[in-house]
Amino acid sequence: MIAAALAGRRIAVTGATGFLGTALVERLLRSVPDCEVVVLVRSGRRASAADRTAKEILRNDCFDRLRAELGEKFGAEMERRLTTIAGDVSTDGLGLSEADGEILASCDVLVHSAATVSFDAPLDGAVEVNLLGPSRVATTLLELARLHRPEGAPLPHLVAVSTAYVNSGHHGDAAEEPVAASRYLALPDWKGEVAAARRARADIDAESRTPARLEEFQKRARRELGAAGRALLAERTERLRTNWVDNQLVELGRSRAQALGWPDAYAYTKSLGELALGENRGELPTTIVRPSIVESALAEPKPGWIRGFRMAEPVIISYARGLLRQFPGVPEGIVDVIPVDLVCAAIIAVAAAGPKEEPIGAQPRIFQVASGVRNPLRYGTLVGLCEIWFNERPLYDSRGEPIAVPTWSFPGRGKVQGELRRATKLLGLLERSVSALPVRGELAEKIADVEERRAVAERALGYVELYGAYTETEARFRIDATLELFEGLSENDQRTFCFDPAVIDWVRYVNEVHLPSVVEHARVRTSPGKRVSASREDRARRAILTKEPRCAVFDLEQTIVNSNVVESYAWLASRHLEPMRRAQLALELFVEGPRLLSVDRRDRGDFLRSFYRRYEGAPVERVREDAWELFSDLLLTRAFPGAIQRVREHRALGHKTLLITGALDFVVAPLAPLFDEIVCARLGEVDGRFTGEMVTTPPTGEARAILMESWAARFGLGKDQTVAYADSTSDLPMLEAAGHPVAVNPEPKLAAVARRRGWPIEHWERTPGGPRNLLAVASRRLGPRTPSPGVGLASRP
């Protein structure tokens, strides 16, 4: 009996916060009631190992069944039977304290399931965890056992979880034998591979810091964010640099793996990890369990239980959403999938059976847990089942229309990759071309669609590059030793701990278990009515207009009014000019427009300093008087009623309102009744005339974020209580510093950012039918149209 064999035993598990590890811990605690479980968990930046166990393991819905069975006793039972120790398998010695080392040494079995399971992990990270991790665990466990266990006591049994795809290079049957026995793989010296991976990180990082590379990252950051301010541009530049380093290491891992016969760095590092473990484990009793593609549970702890998306789920959801028009593969090929509960049962059975008697230096015994030989699922069958299922139960797009799924024709991987690479390149060129257009609002969002389509194409290409090889694998993973172990169990154990893949009815599993679970966890729209759950954007919008304290900060141009500082200047400068001179001024500004736009996009502060020098020598009193007519004649007619209403809604709720703008004080003075405070630009004055120099730093970029934070702090409000409204990437520092950012009539780049981050987007329009006075209409009330030399705004050379 498995439960009896493990009764009173202490079983350690690494990787317990992962998919397989969480399921294994729950199964042990529920199905082996007399055992104790020790989980080795890495402490997080903000959470201790114990906190992570409580939050990421025990609160997972995997434990709902056990929680229901134990009722009020659940907490006490977990405290009695579950122990957390802090450690890290990527660190020599596992980073254990002395006390935690003694606890680990007292364990009878250690199941090592920790791994970097991503198929596109950077090479050096995969090497540290997948290649060196098992050896670190084995050598540390052996050293601790010798130090703390009584003399003559048996050594702990290490059960190392690997993957069946270490043999993915096979053509035909892949037996349960050591990697070293493979005839299909070029096995390098694993120590040399470790050294090379570590050197690669240093070399690539050094390359990323060269002037040419840094200039490239800076240009990309500016293309993405525009005039977002130095701090954000620097932050984005650094992120692009580190991402480039990681991407280079991902590509290096993929290339190195494929050159040696593996599909990716995951299978490659797992294979070499087995080699290293065989050399380093010494006399430690060791068994290796190799599952194939681990997917949602067949029955335990409940049908369809899954934690995070595995390999197939992103592909399935992209297919259901109509985003993946083709995917490579051989229809008659086998997709070797195994439910997670069968893998857990096999691991527990291996632990109960104990290690096989073997001489020191012998290769560990191996058990493969796979379905492809005993109960194969054909790739064409899986695709056909998905097509029928989603045709009968379609997902719905944002307009509530059903999405028709494509019919795949099973093209070759090279053809699909080529098409997607061409599409990605063309969409990238189109995106760079249209994102620079000076448009806003809904048209800008349509331009942002181009970025979204490029992202979809890149994602599809990524899926093909990552998973395409797994749909074309010709290896058939034999499970002779696994079946022998299963057949040696009692009938009761075979029912309680079933790991025979013959029990899987694939049609039922796909239709009734896996696909419903995938759709549920994907949080996609499954009906033409309301959403399954509120989107991030909807939840954010509801949190804005609340009775809770808020500080609402508004930009002016294109957020409250459809105007800008150039138009305000043009109106004021033409206020007292003769018609011919007014026309000349309009033409001059029109010709100068592209240069002004270019300067504005580079640095908003520099633009304002330069442009406001045009006010030098202008009479202060007359300009301030004209500004009131500017408001009624131009700004008020170009105001967005929706914006005015939103300000009033905030005030009605008792929220503090602040206007931060680069516009001049006399331009925005009529708006003062709407806001608790206005922060704006001001010009110096000498002898009743403007100097053209600003007396304060322009409130742009990072300055706006600082102003917002300090102003909110005056009322005891923090980031989560601030709301920011703006239209441009130059306001990104303020938007990112707010707890509730809102993009208003956004330019294309900001529209794209807002979509990615789930920010609310408001399209506020002008009242139709209003006048369009680009220049001032001359007024007799204020005297002669032509001022004396040196008096008018436009009279300067």
Side-chain angles (χ1 to χ4, degrees):
M1 295 288 289
I2 290 176
L6 294 176
R9 299 291 187 92
R10 178 174 273 188
I11 303 170
V13 179
T14 69
T17 58
F19 174 44
L20 176 60
T22 298
L24 178 61
V25 170
E26 189 276 343
R27 191 72 173 274
L28 285 167
L29 291 170
R30 179 168 51 82
S31 300
V32 188
D34 295 320
C35 77
E36 293 182 35
V37 178
V38 175
V39 291
L40 187 149
V41 178
R42 184 180 70 249
S43 296
R45 293 181 179 178
R46 299 180 181 178
S48 66
D51 290 338
R52 291 191 65 198
T53 297
K55 182 178 180 179
E56 300 178 37
I57 301 176
L58 294 180
R59 293 181 191 173
N60 188 274
D61 62 346
C62 181
F63 280 78
D64 288 352
R65 177 174 173 179
L66 181 58
R67 188 177 290 105
E69 291 178 0
L70 294 176
E72 296 180 355
K73 299 179 181 179
F74 178 80
E77 190 71 0
M78 295 302 100
E79 187 174 352
R80 181 179 70 84
R81 296 181 57 204
L82 182 63
T83 302
T84 300
I85 60 176
D88 185 352
V89 300
S90 66
T91 302
D92 290 342
L94 306 185
L96 296 169
S97 67
E98 184 176 349
D100 286 346
E102 290 185 25
I103 293 173
L104 189 63
S106 69
C107 294
D108 303 287
V109 179
L110 190 156
V111 180
H112 175 54
S113 70
T116 297
V117 297
S118 173
F119 294 166
D120 59 347
L123 176 60
D124 60 325
V127 162
E128 294 296 334
V129 176
N130 295 344
L131 196 163
L132 294 175
S135 291
R136 288 195 183 102
V137 169
T139 55
T140 302
L141 184 60
L142 183 58
E143 180 182 344
L144 291 171
R146 287 171 174 167
L147 182 63
H148 296 292
R149 292 175 78 92
E151 187 175 351
L155 292 172
H157 176 200
L158 173 62
V159 180
V161 180
S162 183
T163 174
Y165 283 88
V166 298
N167 285 321
S168 56
H170 281 62
H171 297 271
D173 289 351
E176 295 161 298
E177 60 183 13
V179 171
S182 173
R183 302 184 303 276
Y184 298 92
L185 298 168
L187 297 174
D189 172 26
W190 65 266
K191 294 178 183 177
E193 297 298 299
V194 171
R198 289 172 172 171
R199 282 198 308 272
R201 163 69 71 171
D203 292 345
I204 293 172
D205 186 78
E207 166 67 15
S208 75
R209 298 173 188 272
T210 60
R213 289 292 180 192
L214 291 174
E215 182 180 0
E216 173 190 339
F217 302 141
Q218 288 173 330
K219 287 181 178 179
R220 285 182 56 190
R222 188 168 290 280
R223 280 202 305 268
E224 292 180 18
L225 301 182
R230 289 183 177 88
L232 271 183
L233 287 171
E235 179 184 334
R236 181 57 183 161
T237 298
E238 178 61 12
R239 191 176 304 145
L240 288 170
R241 187 192 70 80
T242 56
N243 288 346
W244 181 85
V245 171
D246 285 344
N247 290 337
Q248 293 296 111
L249 286 164
V250 168
E251 185 56 39
L252 176 62
R254 182 183 296 122
S255 299
R256 181 59 176 159
Q258 292 174 354
L260 297 173
W262 289 282
D264 50 45
Y266 175 68
Y268 154 70
T269 53
K270 278 290 192 178
S271 299
L272 298 188
E274 287 191 20
L275 284 177
L277 177 61
E279 292 183 21
N280 294 327
R281 69 186 181 92
E283 61 191 52
L284 187 71
T286 302
T287 306
I288 294 175
V289 176
R290 293 176 179 164
S292 55
I293 301 171
V294 184
E295 287 293 351
S296 64
L298 179 65
E300 305 267 354
K302 63 181 179 180
W305 178 81
I306 195 169
R307 178 168 194 167
F309 272 12
R310 319 318 305 164
M311 188 189 90
E313 288 72 38
V315 176
I316 289 173
I317 288 298
S318 295
Y319 168 75
R321 294 177 63 195
L323 304 178
L324 204 55
R325 311 305 299 180
Q326 288 290 356
F327 202 79
V330 180
E332 60 273 18
I334 294 173
V335 180
D336 206 312
V337 171
I338 193 76
V340 65
D341 44 343
L342 271 66
V343 180
C344 290
I347 291 172
I348 293 172
V350 168
K356 180 182 179 182
E357 292 290 337
E358 55 188 16
I360 296 177
Q363 290 295 327
R365 193 176 184 190
I366 296 170
F367 294 89
Q368 294 184 159
V369 190
S371 62
V373 171
R374 184 160 174 82
N375 185 12
L377 171 62
R378 303 290 175 184
Y379 180 53
T381 301
L382 174 61
V383 172
L385 290 172
C386 289
E387 182 176 356
I388 293 171
W389 200 89
F390 284 110
N391 274 324
E392 295 176 351
R393 308 166 186 82
L395 302 186
Y396 290 80
D397 61 22
S398 58
R399 297 168 298 179
E401 296 294 329
I403 300 172
V405 294
T407 298
W408 284 353
S409 58
F410 306 104
R413 184 152 44 113
K415 179 180 179 181
V416 178
Q417 285 178 323
E419 291 176 351
L420 288 172
R421 283 173 182 152
R422 287 190 293 273
T424 300
K425 184 176 180 179
L426 288 173
L427 287 168
L429 291 172
L430 179 60
E431 178 192 356
R432 287 193 291 274
S433 300
V434 300
S435 64
L437 295 176
V439 297
R440 296 180 179 277
E442 294 183 355
L443 182 56
E445 278 212 78
K446 290 180 180 179
I447 291 176
D449 286 341
V450 176
E451 186 203 41
E452 193 168 304
R453 290 173 61 189
R454 176 192 55 76
V456 167
E458 286 183 346
R459 198 178 309 126
L461 177 60
Y463 292 154
V464 171
E465 291 178 340
L466 287 176
Y467 308 133
Y470 288 84
T471 64
E472 299 173 342
T473 298
E474 297 182 24
R476 301 293 175 262
F477 308 120
R478 297 202 61 83
I479 56 172
D480 303 285
T482 303
L483 286 179
E484 182 182 350
L485 176 64
F486 179 76
E487 291 165 357
L489 300 178
S490 67
E491 291 185 7
N492 183 60
D493 277 350
Q494 287 185 351
R495 287 192 301 271
T496 307
F497 299 97
C498 179
F499 51 91
D500 181 359
V503 303
I504 306 170
D505 178 343
W506 287 117
V507 174
R508 176 186 171 278
Y509 175 77
V510 172
N511 288 338
E512 300 178 23
V513 176
H514 190 62
L515 291 182
S517 177
V518 169
V519 170
E520 177 186 357
H521 286 83
R523 300 167 69 93
V524 289
R525 179 177 285 191
T526 56
S527 66
K530 63 180 182 180
R531 296 178 59 91
V532 173
S533 59
S535 68
R536 284 191 301 167
E537 186 174 337
D538 292 336
R539 292 195 300 271
R541 188 174 280 113
R542 285 202 300 266
I544 290 170
L545 294 175
T546 173
K547 292 181 179 180
E548 297 179 6
R550 290 284 185 270
C551 165
V553 182
F554 289 80
D555 177 36
L556 177 66
E557 297 175 2
Q558 307 303 330
T559 302
I560 294 179
V561 296
N562 180 25
S563 186
N564 55 58
V565 299
V566 176
E567 290 184 349
S568 296
Y569 168 80
W571 195 98
L572 291 168
S574 64
R575 181 75 176 91
H576 302 285
L577 295 180
E578 294 287 349
M580 287 298 294
R581 183 68 184 94
R582 292 172 62 227
Q584 181 183 358
L585 173 65
L587 180 60
E588 290 171 354
L589 290 173
F590 177 79
V591 172
E592 200 177 4
R595 184 188 68 81
L596 295 174
L597 180 63
S598 176
V599 174
D600 189 18
R601 284 178 170 173
R602 282 199 305 271
D603 190 294
R604 179 69 171 171
D606 288 346
F607 165 74
L608 291 177
R609 289 187 189 92
S610 172
F611 189 79
Y612 284 161
R613 288 196 174 277
R614 297 166 189 253
Y615 283 90
E616 182 181 352
V620 174
E621 183 177 351
R622 195 184 70 189
V623 170
R624 292 191 182 278
E625 289 178 356
D626 287 348
W628 284 93
E629 289 209 24
L630 163 71
F631 178 73
S632 61
D633 190 45
L634 178 70
L635 300 185
L636 193 58
T637 62
R638 287 172 166 251
F640 302 121
I644 305 298
Q645 179 182 347
R646 180 61 59 87
V647 177
R648 288 173 172 163
E649 286 173 337
H650 278 292
R651 292 180 67 86
L653 289 166
H655 299 169
K656 300 297 180 181
T657 56
L658 172 67
L659 177 66
I660 302 180
T661 175
L664 291 165
D665 58 335
F666 50 79
V667 174
V668 298
L671 292 171
L674 277 175
F675 298 94
D676 292 295
E677 189 171 333
I678 295 178
V679 177
C680 57
R682 288 178 171 81
L683 296 177
E685 301 175 18
V686 175
D687 297 331
R689 295 185 182 275
F690 288 117
T691 65
E693 296 181 359
M694 297 174 60
V695 296
T696 57
T697 302
T700 61
E702 293 86 353
R704 293 192 175 195
I706 295 170
L707 280 168
M708 178 183 68
E709 292 171 348
S710 61
W711 195 75
R714 284 165 47 187
F715 304 100
L717 302 178
K719 175 177 179 178
D720 292 342
Q721 296 164 302
T722 56
V723 185
Y725 297 85
D727 69 295
S728 169
T729 53
S730 64
D731 294 310
L732 267 178
M734 182 176 74
L735 291 169
E736 292 196 329
H740 305 280
V742 183
V744 180
N745 302 330
E747 63 181 14
K749 291 176 181 177
L750 182 60
V753 170
R755 280 191 179 186
R756 287 197 301 269
R757 303 185 186 181
W759 294 350
I761 298 177
E762 300 288 357
H763 296 293
W764 291 332
E765 298 179 354
R766 294 172 52 192
T767 302
R772 296 177 178 270
N773 298 328
L774 298 179
L775 298 176
V777 176
S779 172
R780 296 177 182 175
R781 183 177 65 83
L782 292 178
R785 295 177 182 176
T786 306
S788 59
V791 176
L793 293 180
S795 66
R796 298 176 62 248

